[in-house]
Amino acid sequence: MSSKNQSQNQHRFVHALNELDDVNIRRIRPLIPPQILMEDLPLTEAAAATIVRGRKAAGDIIAGTDDRLLVVVGPCSIHHPAAALEYADSLKAYADGALEDLCIVMRV
């Protein structure tokens, strides 16, 4: 293959890769530093207690001291906060009804 053909093929390959890159991203905004986020949205006592209970329950299930099934569900990320909150409410209602057999954890 001539160097001209190799160059053209390389150009096509790079162009094809560029067509794949970030096709669903409309804009990029910088992330908020965790410290500022924690100051702006401090953890409530109720939220902290929920986290502690959930971690203990998951740890007990993994350690074998709790015979329930640990079920980790939910979206990988949240793009629509209102929909995520609606999903969390529905999941919480279901989880409360299945508490005897399941420990359901929503991951995000």
Side-chain angles (χ1 to χ4, degrees), residues 24-82:
N24 294 316
I25 296 175
R26 281 186 240 153
R27 67 179 178 190
I28 296 175
R29 297 183 311 174
L31 293 175
I32 299 170
Q35 186 60 39
I36 292 174
L37 187 60
M38 291 186 314
E39 290 171 7
D40 289 349
L41 300 169
L43 189 63
T44 65
E45 285 186 40
T50 298
I51 293 167
V52 169
R53 279 193 312 273
R55 287 180 178 171
K56 180 172 181 348
D60 289 349
I61 292 167
I62 291 168
T65 58
D66 183 328
D67 66 351
R68 293 181 295 165
L69 179 65
L70 178 61
V71 182
V72 182
V73 299
C76 296
S77 59
I78 295 178
H79 301 284
H80 304 286

